[in-house]
Amino acid sequence: MSEGSTRTLAAAARSGVPSPGPAAAPGERHGAAERDTRARVARLILEHGPITASALGERVGLTPAAVRRHLDALLAEGMIEVRRARPQARRGRGRPAKWFAITDAGRSAFVHAYDDLATAALRFLAEKNGERAVAEFARRQIADLERRYHPVVQAAPPHQRVRKLAEALSGDGYAAAAAEAPRPGGGEQLCQHHCPVAHVAAEFPQLCEAETEAFSRLLGTPVQRLATIAHGDGICTTHVSPRSLCEGAGTSQAPPAERPEGAPAGRSGDAAADAGSGSPK
């Protein structure tokens, strides 16, 4: 992806968020205004496409020549593509209207632009309030997922809960699956083939840690994160200890509301999983 398209999509991601800084020269202001307008055009195509140039001009308030300039730039960068109107959609004579739609590369660029914005926001939070604030933010973010998954997982028999959790995660785009663990000591593995926050979690592992803690509480047994996409692994892999190990040791997981603050379940789960496997981390 070109540097220009990266700047365009970054502008789209932060649209509506002012960016303080020193006054720019007239030429720089013109370039920034062009990028901001192109970002608005790209966002409209993402949200409302396929869409015609005339419809874009009406929404953005641009002349036909200005719209064509931005569309030509986005086409050259591979961010959008042209689609012809279906025969039944044509009206009257003349050349069929061109419809513009976002490409897979363009959609992916929006995702990475939002990642950059999220990473910058977490850096700011860490600088102002410390790493503990980032960890608390991560736990709050995962809390909604945990609340939604809790009734689904708890309604299943204990031996099916990992599979039910995988199905719930897949419904949110994580492409998850459950399987028996190949390591000694038994248990299961929860594998996530996609991570929506992988780029952000590469710098802020607190996001992965909060997710691991939530898995332990949902499944009622210790878990251990073995691999993460954020750290360069192909799959996020979590080992789930057998419930018999947890029950035999006389331990149980407190429900989320009763878990003492400062005692994350994911860390205690790691230790218990290591004890059960007989191998160090």
Side-chain angles (χ1 to χ4, degrees):
M1 183 182 304
S2 69
E3 182 180 353
S5 61
T6 300
R7 287 198 299 264
T8 296
L9 273 299
R14 65 173 182 269
S15 60
V17 180
S19 134
E28 294 176 348
R29 288 198 297 270
H30 175 73
E34 280 283 291
R35 287 195 297 272
D36 287 345
T37 302
R38 192 162 302 159
R40 291 175 60 198
V41 172
R43 179 184 289 279
L44 283 171
I45 296 173
L46 172 70
E47 295 177 350
H48 302 285
I51 187 171
T52 64
S54 60
L56 283 169
E58 292 175 2
R59 287 178 177 271
V60 186
L62 295 175
T63 65
V67 172
R68 284 196 299 271
R69 184 175 69 252
H70 290 298
L71 290 174
D72 288 343
L74 292 170
L75 285 167
E77 293 169 353
M79 307 299 294
I80 63 173
E81 62 184 2
V82 176
R83 296 183 184 177
R84 297 290 180 180
R86 294 186 296 273
Q88 60 269 28
R90 298 179 188 172
R91 294 183 179 180
R93 299 178 180 180
R95 299 172 60 184
K98 291 181 179 180
W99 295 72
F100 298 90
I102 203 78
T103 62
D104 289 341
R107 196 178 304 276
S108 177
F110 267 98
V111 172
H112 289 298
Y114 282 120
D115 284 349
D116 292 342
L117 182 63
T119 301
L122 287 177
R123 284 176 189 157
F124 180 83
L125 180 63
E127 290 171 4
K128 293 296 183 181
N129 299 292
E131 296 296 326
R132 292 186 63 180
V134 176
E136 178 62 24
F137 171 82
R139 291 191 183 101
R140 289 196 180 188
Q141 284 295 103
I142 207 70
D144 176 65
L145 177 146
E146 186 175 355
R147 282 193 296 269
R148 289 189 292 110
Y149 292 177
H150 186 269
V152 176
V153 174
Q154 292 302 310
H159 66 281
Q160 293 183 7
R161 287 179 180 173
V162 178
R163 181 174 62 84
K164 285 296 183 182
L165 177 56
E167 291 175 357
L169 287 165
S170 294
D172 281 340
Y174 288 84
E180 292 186 6
R183 59 185 290 179
E188 296 176 82
Q189 279 191 350
L190 178 64
C191 300
Q192 297 159 258
H193 297 265
H194 176 67
C195 176
V197 297
H199 291 87
V200 183
E203 184 170 341
F204 296 98
Q206 295 95 328
L207 298 173
C208 297
E209 293 166 3
E211 184 181 74
T212 305
E213 295 168 8
F215 289 170
S216 181
R217 291 191 296 270
L218 285 166
L219 297 171
T221 188
V223 305
Q224 179 184 7
R225 187 57 62 86
L226 303 179
T228 63
I229 297 173
H231 291 163
D233 302 300
I235 304 172
C236 292
T237 306
T238 305
H239 178 262
V240 181
S241 298
R243 290 182 61 85
S244 57
L245 175 65
C246 181
E247 293 166 356
T251 60
S252 61
Q253 294 290 322
E258 298 175 7
R259 183 171 56 87
E261 188 170 353
R267 295 186 181 276
S268 61
D270 289 353
D274 290 339
S277 65
S279 61
K281 284 183 73 176

